[in-house]
Amino acid sequence: NAGVTQTPKFQVLKTGQSMTLQCAQDMNHEYMSWYRQDPGMGLRLIHYSVGAGITDQGEVPNGYNVSRSTTEDFPLRLLSAAPSQTSVYFCASSAKAEADTQYFGPGTRLTVL
Amino acid sequence: SQQGEEDPQALSIQEGENATMNCSYKTSINNLQWYRQNSGRGLVHLILIRSNEREKHSGRLRVTLDTSKKSSSLLITASRAADTASYFCATVDMDSNYQLIWGAGTKLIIKP
């Protein structure tokens, strides 16, 4: 199993550009989530999904959209990038619920100029 | 908002010594989890302790949970250079739709 994969590893955007961060898992996990990690802070939840077709907002959802059309994939879309979105983004999955052990992808380092 | 708070923020010890990190939280929890993050990498799950458990072991790791004090500790015994990483606690907040709430982490440096 590849586990949780994320692409790209690095990305530089200009303010106002849009892009999609990809996340996929091959463990048949129901729960998937997106976090951002900023220096000196813990992970902050952006959006999450408890199953295909179901998504919900986390702590910091503004400026981001998600969709979950399949169990495996959970892309995160930045609508109009802003410098405040410069961060490291992590996708995670767990078997059934957010209370379970989380499996993390390697992260995407995003810089918005 | 941040619930779990790790203490200390940074810890530097000699290889072979024991390292202890603490985590405090504020609300009722379902479980508490510890994760490790090596520099530039994703987080890796270390251990999960449920609210009705007081202590759990995994190899050189020992985790304790005191729900009356709303705190947990992670002890790494006989530290190795490979233990150099940041360590995070995450609590499952029963009052917040069972969302995981993360602390800012403890940066552990093991000096050879």
Side-chain angles (χ1 to χ4, degrees), chain B residues 49-102:
Chain B
I49 186 165
R50 303 195 183 281
S51 57
N52 61 352
E53 297 175 310
R54 292 296 167 260
E55 187 170 310
K56 209 161 182 180
H57 295 256
S58 177
R60 294 183 296 112
L61 305 180
R62 181 171 78 98
V63 167
T64 61
L65 178 64
D66 187 334
T67 53
S68 66
K69 295 181 180 178
K70 289 186 165 45
S71 68
S72 172
S73 68
L74 169 67
L75 168 67
I76 304 174
T77 59
S79 63
R80 304 168 182 169
D83 295 328
T84 294
S86 291
Y87 292 81
F88 295 87
C89 71
T91 51
V92 178
D93 185 358
M94 294 169 65
D95 297 330
S96 183
N97 201 27
Y98 287 79
Q99 291 302 316
L100 271 175
I101 308 295
W102 296 83

Side-chain angles (χ1 to χ4, degrees), chain A residues 53-108:
Chain A
I54 306 170
T55 64
D56 207 344
Q57 297 181 351
E59 182 186 355
V60 288
N62 292 343
Y64 308 94
N65 272 356
V66 291
S67 60
R68 185 95 180 268
S69 56
T70 67
T71 299
E72 295 78 19
D73 300 299
F74 190 44
L76 177 73
R77 183 166 178 81
L78 278 70
L79 308 172
S80 177
S84 61
Q85 293 179 304
T86 293
S87 187
V88 181
Y89 291 84
F90 289 100
C91 179
S93 73
S94 63
K96 288 188 178 177
E98 53 271 68
D100 292 337
T101 297
Q102 302 291 311
Y103 294 83
F104 282 84
T108 294

Side-chain angles (χ1 to χ4, degrees), chain B residues 2 10-13 17-20 22 25-27 35-36 43 50 63 72-74 84-85 87 90-91 100 102 109:
Chain B
Q2 298 293 321
L11 179 61
S12 180
I13 61 173
E17 293 180 338
N18 295 342
T20 299
N22 302 298
Y25 58 91
K26 297 173 184 173
T27 65
Y35 288 79
R36 182 187 74 231
L43 282 76
R50 303 195 183 281
V63 167
S72 172
S73 68
L74 169 67
T84 294
Y87 292 81
T91 51
L100 271 175
W102 296 83
I109 296 173

